Amino acid sequence: MSFDITIDYVASDHSIVVSEDGLPCQPTKTLDQIRIEEYSCVILPGMVNIGPALQNEKLISFLRDLGEQDIIIASISSAPLLLAKAGLLKDTKFTGGIWQNFFDYFEFLSRENFQPKLVVKDKQIITAIGFAHQEFARKVILSLGLAENTDNYFKERNDYSEEDLIFTLSDQDFDEVKRSIENAL
């Protein structure tokens, strides 16, 4: 299912990045090497510890500049927090694997625009909850016009309640997450 396209793995530098699921990824390019007009889509994966990424001004600046481009921006799991920090979700509906506690913790995160749905597409931005990776991939493929129908590629569950799509940490767990973010500062 390559759709005859090239995929670059991009990071702030060439250091190996470990994914949320422990998969080591070697960046093929750095943010400085990207000419965004050569791309049709930017996909941001989720991460367990988002603190370092939120403090990475090079990354946030790169994302902020995407708002002025004609490009699909797709963000899953915790990564919509990065879009919010870059100011891209101010007038955009979104979802994500975002603990509800974060809405009061991060001033840049708008509770009003949050939608408790698996996937949300608003303007050129696609966001999804982490476990909705198939629905997310389907929306990206269709938005890029890579296929007219993706029914043969994916089989997903569609019977989630709203409670299944809203996450809240206990006070103790939230304090621990805040400490890990603050320690990254």
Side-chain angles (χ1 to χ4, degrees):
M1 200 167 62
S2 71
F3 298 104
D4 198 31
I5 59 173
T6 300
I7 297 173
D8 286 317
Y9 294 90
V10 180
S12 295
D13 59 42
H14 283 290
S15 300
I16 290 178
V17 177
V18 179
S19 77
E20 187 171 286
D21 295 316
L23 178 68
C25 300
Q26 178 67 57
T28 56
K29 291 188 177 182
T30 65
L31 293 171
D32 296 332
Q33 296 172 309
I34 296 300
R35 292 188 46 215
I36 202 63
E37 58 276 359
E38 296 176 358
Y39 295 86
S40 54
C41 182
V42 171
I43 298 177
L44 300 167
M47 58 212 79
V48 173
N49 182 3
I50 196 150
L54 285 171
Q55 300 309 316
N56 184 333
E57 192 48 46
K58 184 185 272 189
L59 173 61
I60 300 302
S61 177
F62 173 83
L63 295 175
R64 191 175 299 118
D65 291 345
L66 292 179
E68 302 167 10
Q69 304 295 322
D70 182 25
I71 190 168
I72 298 290
I73 304 167
S75 179
I76 191 167
S77 189
S78 59
L81 285 169
L82 300 173
L83 299 181
K85 175 120 189 231
L88 299 178
L89 299 181
K90 285 181 182 167
D91 298 314
T92 303
K93 295 191 181 338
F94 69 95
T95 192
I98 299 171
W99 302 107
Q100 294 296 295
N101 318 63
F102 284 174
F103 289 104
D104 295 324
Y105 183 68
F106 292 118
E107 63 186 41
F108 55 79
L109 190 62
S110 168
R111 185 184 306 271
E112 292 75 33
N113 293 332
F114 179 78
Q115 305 285 300
K117 297 181 179 177
L118 293 177
V119 178
V120 173
K121 181 176 181 196
D122 190 3
K123 303 174 206 100
Q124 84 275 16
I125 296 178
I126 301 168
T127 54
I129 290 177
F131 67 79
H133 54 276
Q134 288 187 37
E135 295 88 341
F136 177 70
R138 176 190 297 262
K139 186 66 79 176
V140 170
I141 290 167
L142 292 171
S143 295
L144 290 170
L146 298 174
E148 290 182 26
N149 184 326
T150 59
D151 290 345
N152 292 329
Y153 299 124
F154 307 105
K155 303 292 179 210
E156 62 261 335
R157 176 182 159 196
N158 292 315
D159 58 345
Y160 296 99
S161 69
E162 190 170 295
E163 290 78 32
D164 291 332
L165 306 175
I166 295 178
F167 314 104
T168 304
L169 290 167
S170 69
D171 290 341
Q172 180 180 353
D173 288 341
F174 185 54
D175 287 342
E176 194 174 312
V177 168
K178 288 191 296 189
R179 278 192 298 278
S180 73
I181 290 171
E182 290 162 1
N183 288 339
L185 301 179

